[in-house]
């Protein structure tokens, strides 16, 4: 029952002498990632605020392209950065703090892939519905007006 935990992170790039040092190392890494998110959220650099592409117009293939590319290409790069950094933090919290690395391969795959699919589905739904709500409130012909 008592077995040694693996004391390296970043695929063996950083090795620690004890479990306590490893916990502090992962905590420092997660703190740095969180600080990057906070700084980007406060300053919102202009280079990350414009989308990479505009949606395609006209025809079946344009609609199909818009559906396939909308979660990635048409969003602001700042949103994509936040999503990726949040997934990185969730990965390291699960992998190191919850000792998922020390479990069997089938349990790891079951937990990780279920979470990945659910997170991707949630992000897709939030971005699609958020875009719709934004268009309803801010469109040129919007029926709903703000009375602030």
């Amino acid at each position: 029952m008592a077995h040694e935990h693996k004391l390296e992170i970043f695929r063996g790039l950083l090795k620690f002498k004890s479990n306590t040092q490893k916990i502090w190392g992962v905590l420092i890494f997660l703190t740095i990632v969180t600080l990057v998110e906070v700084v980007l959220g406060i300053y919102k650099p202009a280079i990350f605020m414009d989308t990479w592409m505009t949606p395609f117009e006209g025809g079946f293939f344009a609609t199909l392209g818009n559906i396939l590319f909308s979660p990635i290409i048409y969003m602001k790069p700042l949103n994509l950065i936040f999503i990726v950094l949040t997934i990185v933090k969730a990965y390291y919290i699960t992998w190191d703090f919850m000792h998922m690395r020390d479990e069997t391969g089938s349990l790891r795959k079951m937990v990780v892939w279920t979470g990945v699919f659910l997170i991707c589905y949630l992000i897709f739904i939030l971005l699609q519905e958020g875009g719709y709500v934004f268009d309803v409130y801010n469109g040129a012909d919007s029926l709903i007006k703000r009375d602030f």
Side-chain angles (χ1 to χ4, degrees):
M1 184 161 140
H3 61 279
E4 292 295 319
H5 297 291
K6 296 176 183 163
L7 297 176
E8 69 267 351
I9 60 173
F10 305 124
R11 303 274 181 182
L13 211 61
L14 259 158
K15 295 182 182 177
F16 298 100
K17 294 179 183 172
S18 70
N19 226 5
T20 307
Q21 284 182 347
K22 180 183 171 189
I23 290 171
W24 280 107
V26 173
L27 181 67
I28 289 169
F29 170 70
L30 294 175
T31 304
I32 291 170
V33 171
T34 303
L35 286 175
V36 168
E37 283 182 334
V38 168
V39 167
L40 286 174
I42 290 173
Y43 291 110
K44 295 180 184 168
I47 192 169
F48 296 136
M49 294 305 289
D50 295 325
T51 59
W52 292 327
M53 289 177 62
T54 57
F56 301 119
E57 292 185 14
F60 171 74
F61 292 109
T63 304
L64 188 63
N66 288 334
I67 290 170
L68 292 175
F69 292 137
S70 64
I72 298 168
I73 302 294
Y74 303 142
M75 82 168 71
K76 294 177 184 175
L78 187 63
N79 290 345
L80 189 62
I81 290 170
F82 284 146
I83 290 168
V84 168
L85 290 178
T86 302
I87 290 173
V88 166
K89 287 192 315 187
Y91 169 79
Y92 271 100
I93 288 170
T94 305
W95 202 248
D96 284 321
F97 285 143
M98 297 172 67
H99 304 287
M100 189 59 67
R101 166 188 320 212
D102 301 322
E103 298 296 336
T104 61
S106 58
L107 178 66
R108 282 194 310 233
K109 289 175 189 170
M110 182 176 60
V111 170
V112 170
W113 285 111
T114 303
V116 165
F117 288 131
L118 288 175
I119 288 170
C120 289
Y121 178 69
L122 178 65
I123 289 169
F124 175 76
I125 294 297
L126 288 174
L127 289 173
Q128 291 298 320
E129 294 299 321
Y132 172 75
V133 171
F134 180 79
D135 290 340
V136 166
Y137 276 104
N138 296 315
D141 58 344
S142 62
L143 300 174
I144 302 172
K145 301 294 180 191
R146 294 183 182 176
D147 293 331
F148 295 64

